[in-house]
Amino acid sequence: MDDFKKYIGKKVTVTVDRKMGSKHPKWGYIYPNNYGYIPNTVSGDGEELDAYILGVFESFEGVCIAVLHRLTDDDDKLIVVPENVDYTDEQINALTEYQERFFKHIIIR
């Protein structure tokens, strides 16, 4: 399993597999932002490390500004944004609430 903290402050390439406006295939909620994964990584759930993409509406290379660390699940999420862009913890919580409301989590910087 990759140590998610090593990504904070690093440039990463995100592959978008859930486009903004798409519906989750199992749970039915709508993605209000792009969501994807970091290729060739492994998260606690055995899948590739997931990433919320904030402020960008296409696949891109951006900077990981934080990790949303789930306390009640083994599926941490990177918070990836364009260079020189920042979000407060409150903004991150608001923008990821559609999915994260189901999990207890903390934001690690």
Side-chain angles (χ1 to χ4, degrees), residues 35-71:
Y35 181 87
Y37 61 91
I38 310 302
N40 305 312
T41 61
V42 179
S43 184
D45 65 355
E47 301 289 328
E48 289 171 301
L49 188 57
D50 295 322
Y52 290 104
I53 302 170
L54 306 182
V56 175
F57 308 106
E58 57 198 33
S59 293
F60 84 114
E61 182 177 88
V63 177
C64 174
I65 61 167
V67 174
L68 196 145
H69 176 60
R70 287 183 175 174
L71 302 172

Side-chain angles (χ1 to χ4, degrees), residues 35-105:
Y35 181 87
Y37 61 91
I38 310 302
N40 305 312
T41 61
V42 179
S43 184
D45 65 355
E47 301 289 328
E48 289 171 301
L49 188 57
D50 295 322
Y52 290 104
I53 302 170
L54 306 182
V56 175
F57 308 106
E58 57 198 33
S59 293
F60 84 114
E61 182 177 88
V63 177
C64 174
I65 61 167
V67 174
L68 196 145
H69 176 60
R70 287 183 175 174
L71 302 172
T72 55
D73 188 45
D74 285 333
D75 195 13
D76 297 317
K77 312 294 182 184
L78 301 185
I79 304 299
V80 181
V81 301
E83 286 189 74
N84 302 314
V85 172
D86 198 12
Y87 286 85
T88 66
D89 290 356
E90 292 78 19
Q91 290 169 318
I92 291 170
N93 280 323
L95 291 165
T96 61
E97 185 273 339
Y98 67 96
Q99 182 168 242
E100 294 308 318
R101 68 179 179 237
F102 303 110
F103 305 96
K104 186 174 180 178
H105 67 271

Side-chain angles (χ1 to χ4, degrees), residues 6-12 62-65:
K6 74 180 183 184
Y7 294 99
I8 296 174
K10 303 283 191 219
K11 201 176 261 197
V12 296
V63 177
C64 174
I65 61 167

